[in-house]
Amino acid sequence: MSVSFSELGLSKPVLDAIADQGYETPSPIQAQAIGAVLSGKDVMAAAQTGTGKTGAFALPIVHMLNAHPQRPKPNHVKALILTPTRELAAQVAQSVLLSHKYTNMNSTVAFGGVSINPQLKSLRKGSDVLTATPGRLLDLYSQNAIKFTDLSILVLDEADRMLDMGFIHDLKRIMKLLPTKRQTLLFSATFSDDIRQLAKQFIKDPIEISVTPKNAAATTVEQHIVHVDKSNKSKLLATLIADNKWQQVLVFSRTKHGANRIAKQLNAKGLTSLAIHGNKSQGARTKALSDFKSGNLRVLVATDIAARGIDIDLLPNVVNYDLPHVPEDYVHRIGRTGRAGATGSAVSFVTNEDGKQLKAIQNLIGQHINVLEVAGLSEKPSTQAPIRAPKPKRPKRVKRD
């Protein structure tokens, strides 16, 4: 029997904000994490993007801070949410804003790629909740724009991705600036050895919550691979989009240059496409995402890191133009479709050079992925290797985007 938000002990202003967003019952991560956060203890939670995890920390934080509604002092911050990417920071900040709609609280967001001046101005009046990326937070601190003496809550969101992106040194620098007496909440897709090592340094006796089987691919996603020659990838992608009449497709490229090339080739075939990656300005990335969500853009081509914060309800199609280097990223990628009970489709292009990556992915998820034949374009598949039982693997470091 599912619980209601009111049974979790949230106050009326928070419940009214939830009702405005149209949510009736908490998601599994929210049902477990909200009470744990309200207990005041440190929390470690394993949850994928798209499971409602932002609400799992934003809602109880707003409840707790609103219970002691003193205005924050100039430049002071009461709660800090750290995220790995600009897109995720913007998305989390929006969720926080909606959560405190019926309170007198204020919140702000800070990330790179845009002018620092509006962020400096916003922080001058103090902030109940600040959502930030590590690099920009340290920039602001170096300009005396943030004071942490009143900070009582820290959230590390998508901690696994922060480690993958090489933010460990920034995180350690930030931790030294924060009060030792605080509540720390860590959210990660998995509890890898590296995450547990991180937790030992920053978290005290946490409540552990896990609502997703480790490295499980969503059952609502139909997965296929197409064996294809490298030179035919672009033609295959255009064919799949046109023949299946796909109107909204998220395509993953391994590199920034590759993303640009794919978008250019699709546009030449009359399929409206844009690329997003770390070399694009924040304004360009935000506009591309907005156009994609609204349906004005048919294809969004993204690198893994740029796509980390993309949260689109009912996204029907994901294409892995390039297989990811890190097998766990396959699960993150295809997890962007088939959400909220809807079914989705994930198609991965596999060339002769991709044998090792495909084997690693199939070992990770514990299943063979069905082969899709495309007339005139797909090649005969190589012999499939037997699948091992899933085994925890230390994720490789990836370059910052």
Side-chain angles (χ1 to χ4, degrees), residues 24 126 154 260 277 294 297 314 319:
E24 293 179 359
L154 168 70
N260 288 337
H277 48 68
S294 68
L297 182 66
L314 309 179
V319 173

Side-chain angles (χ1 to χ4, degrees), residues 5 29 63 80 97 109 134 175 235 250 265 298 330 332-333 384 399-400:
F5 281 106
I29 183 65
H63 170 96
L80 171 65
L97 189 66
V109 63
M175 294 301 161
K235 192 175 178 184
L250 177 60
Q265 289 166 340
R298 197 166 177 182
Y330 174 82
H332 295 314
R333 287 179 178 190
Q384 296 245 27
K399 292 179 182 177
R400 286 194 196 199

Side-chain angles (χ1 to χ4, degrees), residues 87 250 252 276 302-311 336 401:
E87 284 78 15
L250 177 60
F252 283 96
I276 62 168
T303 53
D304 280 302
I305 291 166
R308 190 66 173 185
I310 294 175
D311 188 13
R336 298 184 187 285
D401 192 4

Side-chain angles (χ1 to χ4, degrees), residues 9 42 96 125 184 307 323 353 382:
D42 287 2
V96 170
K125 59 180 182 285
T184 304
L323 288 185
E353 298 91 58
S382 54

Side-chain angles (χ1 to χ4, degrees), residues 115-176:
S115 169
I116 201 168
N117 294 328
Q119 296 170 8
L120 291 167
K121 186 179 177 184
S122 180
L123 284 163
R124 267 183 220 131
K125 59 180 182 285
S127 186
D128 288 293
V129 184
L130 170 65
T131 305
T133 51
R136 179 51 60 98
L137 184 79
L138 288 167
D139 288 346
L140 288 162
Y141 184 80
S142 70
Q143 296 189 38
N144 296 316
I146 305 178
K147 301 185 190 305
F148 295 117
T149 48
D150 292 342
L151 184 127
S152 58
I153 304 166
L154 168 70
V155 181
L156 300 174
D157 192 16
E158 300 208 352
D160 54 327
R161 178 57 48 174
M162 282 203 262
L163 293 187
D164 282 349
M165 289 172 66
F167 282 134
I168 184 64
H169 299 298
D170 285 351
L171 288 177
K172 285 181 176 176
R173 284 176 62 199
I174 290 165
M175 294 301 161
K176 286 179 183 170

Side-chain angles (χ1 to χ4, degrees), residues 354-382:
D354 293 330
K356 277 188 179 175
Q357 277 113 305
L358 178 61
K359 185 180 175 187
I361 287 164
Q362 294 187 137
N363 282 328
L364 183 77
I365 64 175
Q367 68 182 78
H368 279 298
I369 303 169
N370 293 328
V371 176
L372 180 68
E373 300 284 347
V374 180
L377 288 170
S378 55
E379 296 196 319
K380 189 178 177 183
S382 54

